[in-house]
Amino acid sequence: MNKKIKTEAVDFLFDAILTLKDRDECYSFFEDLCTVNELLSLSQRFEVAAMLREHRTYLEIAEKTGASTATISRVNRSLNYGNDGYDMTFDRLGKK
C-alpha cells in the first residue's frame, strides 16, 4: 500500500464508498464526486485491465477502449507490479 495516499481523508472516502449498496447508489455518489471525464477515465482503466488479463494486444485495447498506449502501459505495470487490487476485484467478479 502506498503510504502517501493512506490519510484520514482517503480513509473517510473509502468508508463512504463501502456504504454504497447497489449500482444506483454508486451512480448517484460517483456522479456527485467525479466529473464525467474522471469517471470515464476510471472505467476505461478498469476495462483496459480486463482486456490485458485476457492477453489482448495493445492495439486491440486501444481500438476498443480509446485508451492511449501510455494508459495501457500504466495499467499493465499495475497488473504486474502493483498491489494486486485489480486481480482481487476481477477474482471477486468471477472474471478470469
Side-chain angles (χ1 to χ4, degrees), residues 13-78:
L13 172 63
F14 290 166
D15 288 343
I17 292 168
L18 290 169
T19 69
L20 301 172
K21 293 179 177 71
D22 58 32
R23 190 175 292 153
D24 287 336
E25 287 188 4
C26 287
Y27 271 101
S28 294
F29 180 75
F30 282 98
E31 283 183 42
D32 285 349
L33 180 67
C34 301
T35 65
V36 171
N37 285 338
E38 288 168 336
L39 193 50
L40 292 175
S41 291
L42 291 171
S43 64
Q44 181 187 63
R45 289 180 197 161
F46 199 64
E47 185 177 18
V48 166
M51 294 179 75
L52 284 166
R53 284 174 47 109
E54 295 169 351
H55 305 289
R56 303 280 190 84
T57 67
Y58 276 34
L59 181 59
E60 288 177 294
I61 296 168
E63 287 176 352
K64 169 101 172 39
T65 67
S68 68
T69 55
T71 296
I72 298 167
S73 179
R74 188 177 322 114
V75 171
N76 194 42
R77 191 169 41 252
S78 291

Side-chain angles (χ1 to χ4, degrees), residues 1-11 14 83:
M1 180 183 334
N2 186 337
K3 293 177 184 172
K4 292 179 184 177
I5 66 166
K6 180 123 179 76
T7 66
E8 284 184 36
V10 173
D11 285 348
F14 290 166
N83 296 312

